[in-house]
Amino acid sequence: MIAKIKELIEEVEKFKASTTDEIEEFRIKYLSKKGGLVTEFFSEFKNVPKEEKKEFGQILNKLKDDVSDKVNYLKQILKSKDVIDTSADLSLPGSSYKIGSRHPISITRNEIVDIFTRLGFVISEGPEIEDDRHVFSALNFPPEHPARDMQDTFFIEKNPDILLRTHTSSVQVRVMDNQKPPIRTLSPGRVFRNEAISARAHCIFHQIEGLYIDKDVSFADLKQTLLYFAKEMFGEKTKIRLRPSYFPFTEPSAEMDISCSLCGGKGCNVCKYTGWLEILGCGMVDPNVLESNGIDSNIYTGYAFGMGIERIAMLKFGIKDLRLYFENDLRFLSQFH
Ligand code: DAH
């Protein structure tokens, strides 16, 4: 009987099948509970002489295992053939990967940075967590200024004050701390204000600060630089106007409007029928600021400007709600290239 089983083991090894029916037939022939060859050999077990029982058992178990291994193997082969033969159309083009796109804030920031680097400005960055000196006192904010209030500023610690910077003007101070004029620098970054979130305000946003300090820098230089920027950013036909304003760190101070890029200055609902859009604050660096940062205001003058990147991106791309920038909705983000 042992010799017969060995023969069957060889037979199993050689067996080939090309359909599931053939495999099933093969399985039944050996393993069926009723009349399967393996089952029948097992029922012979009691008649096997004692001294052969061990070898008989081992060889029969091997036959049983070989059969089930073979069945699994053949099924596997057939399955993979099925996939190739029936469902794959090898002439189809490959599936493409989705490539991400830049965030509109990054696109706008890069464009602004590009324009000013062409004029010789270099990038400088400062920390988002700042102290009072860099955000307020070295920028000539009087002690009772409302921006120093908890309602406008996120404080981390009080006395000495550690806070989240409310504007990138703080980087002006960092640069003046470390460099002597001539200074021509641009500082993009995130800023934080304690504001209720709405379509028009957010507690986190982005600004770009510009600072130019040298001998004989005048308001005319500031105006010409900003005109160049406006034309590069919004088109050759763009006009600018400067309105008197107030910032503690500049004197005189101004706010700059551009002619409405949507209606060309005729008046529409974006410019509220004025023909003008406000885009930045600017001015001549207050001599107090130069002096409190160790720069002799009798020798040097300078100008500064600061703008919100969200605002510029809104005008460029026609975005109406600030919150969209921070919601990570791919339907929004994938529209910008
Ligand atoms: N820091 C101002 C703000 O957050 C913007 C600004 C205005 C920056 C005038 C300047 C400037 O450098 O000269 O509203």
Side-chain angles (χ1 to χ4, degrees):
M1 241 183 329
I2 290 179
K4 175 72 187 153
I5 297 173
K6 281 185 176 162
E7 246 172 59
L8 290 176
I9 288 176
E10 267 175 44
E11 220 172 86
V12 167
E13 199 186 322
K14 285 190 201 127
F15 179 74
K16 289 193 176 82
S18 50
T19 64
T20 39
D21 285 351
E22 279 169 22
I23 299 171
E24 185 57 9
E25 218 171 89
F26 170 77
R27 190 190 67 77
I28 291 170
K29 174 177 168 198
Y30 286 92
L31 301 179
S32 168
K33 294 247 159 54
K34 277 190 195 149
L37 288 173
V38 173
T39 320
E40 293 208 326
F41 277 118
F42 271 116
S43 55
E44 288 294 321
F45 193 72
K46 54 184 184 300
N47 306 325
V48 176
K50 226 178 185 180
E51 59 286 0
E52 281 181 26
K53 269 197 184 351
K54 188 176 170 204
E55 194 191 353
F56 180 85
Q58 279 172 347
I59 205 93
L60 185 54
N61 270 324
K62 179 173 164 39
L63 174 64
K64 186 179 158 211
D65 291 345
D66 282 5
V67 173
S68 41
D69 286 352
K70 188 84 184 199
V71 167
N72 289 339
Y73 170 75
L74 289 171
K75 278 185 181 164
Q76 201 78 47
I77 299 260
L78 218 58
K79 211 167 157 191
S80 57
K81 269 194 190 147
D82 266 3
V83 173
I84 294 170
D85 291 345
T86 58
S87 59
D89 177 353
L90 297 180
S91 66
L92 283 175
S95 52
S96 61
Y97 290 98
K98 269 212 164 138
I99 300 173
S101 55
R102 277 198 206 290
H103 194 283
I105 296 293
S106 306
I107 297 174
T108 310
R109 183 204 46 217
N110 292 349
E111 203 171 331
I112 300 169
V113 166
D114 260 10
I115 295 170
F116 283 102
T117 43
R118 289 205 286 278
L119 295 174
F121 283 77
V122 293
I123 303 293
S124 50
E125 280 173 343
E128 293 175 350
I129 298 174
E130 270 291 10
D131 53 19
D132 178 273
R133 183 174 101 80
H134 290 91
V135 179
F136 298 127
S137 43
L139 288 166
N140 202 33
F141 277 79
E144 71 284 1
H145 194 283
R148 290 167 175 254
D149 194 28
M150 300 274 273
Q151 256 145 32
D152 295 286
T153 302
F154 288 115
F155 286 91
I156 292 170
E157 273 169 41
K158 277 287 212 180
N159 290 327
D161 290 351
I162 304 292
L163 43 99
L164 296 180
R165 66 180 178 195
T166 55
H167 55 179
T168 43
S169 303
S170 56
V171 189
Q172 286 192 21
V173 180
R174 296 249 160 216
V175 172
M176 287 188 259
D177 277 349
N178 296 313
Q179 283 177 45
K180 291 275 149 264
I183 290 169
R184 208 184 297 163
T185 190
L186 201 66
S187 316
R190 267 198 304 194
V191 299
F192 308 84
R193 285 188 200 172
N194 196 352
E195 302 233 22
I197 296 170
S198 72
R200 304 174 54 106
H202 210 287
C203 56
I204 303 176
F205 54 100
H206 299 77
Q207 288 188 333
I208 292 196
E209 184 80 12
L211 176 70
Y212 181 24
I213 300 172
D214 203 347
K215 290 174 183 151
D216 300 325
V217 177
S218 72
F219 201 92
D221 297 322
L222 169 64
K223 193 174 171 187
Q224 195 56 37
T225 306
L226 294 180
L227 176 63
Y228 172 76
F229 163 70
K231 284 177 184 280
E232 289 291 298
M233 192 74 199
F234 295 101
E236 188 50 39
K237 293 208 177 93
T238 310
K239 294 193 194 76
I240 62 166
R241 77 175 181 188
L242 292 160
R243 284 178 290 105
S245 185
Y246 172 76
F247 299 102
F249 35 90
T250 44
E251 182 57 36
S253 304
E255 270 166 289
M256 185 176 97
D257 299 342
I258 55 166
S259 51
C260 179
S261 47
L262 283 152
C263 64
K266 285 192 204 87
C268 66
N269 64 349
V270 173
C271 62
K272 302 203 188 78
Y273 302 94
T274 61
W276 297 97
L277 300 160
E278 185 192 319
I279 63 160
L280 55 81
C282 60
M284 300 305 292
V285 181
D286 193 302
N288 283 344
V289 172
L290 295 175
E291 294 295 336
S292 56
N293 292 293
I295 293 171
D296 188 341
S297 63
N298 294 313
I299 305 176
Y300 294 105
T301 51
Y303 65 67
F305 56 86
M307 66 187 100
I309 304 180
E310 278 79 359
R311 168 98 180 130
I312 308 273
M314 279 177 141
L315 297 174
K316 251 207 108 79
F317 297 119
I319 298 164
K320 296 218 167 66
D321 191 326
L322 259 180
R323 290 167 292 197
L324 286 166
Y325 290 125
F326 302 98
E327 282 169 357
N328 287 337
D329 187 333
L330 285 180
R331 290 169 302 176
F332 171 72
L333 294 177
S334 59
Q335 294 177 50
F336 305 94
H337 296 289

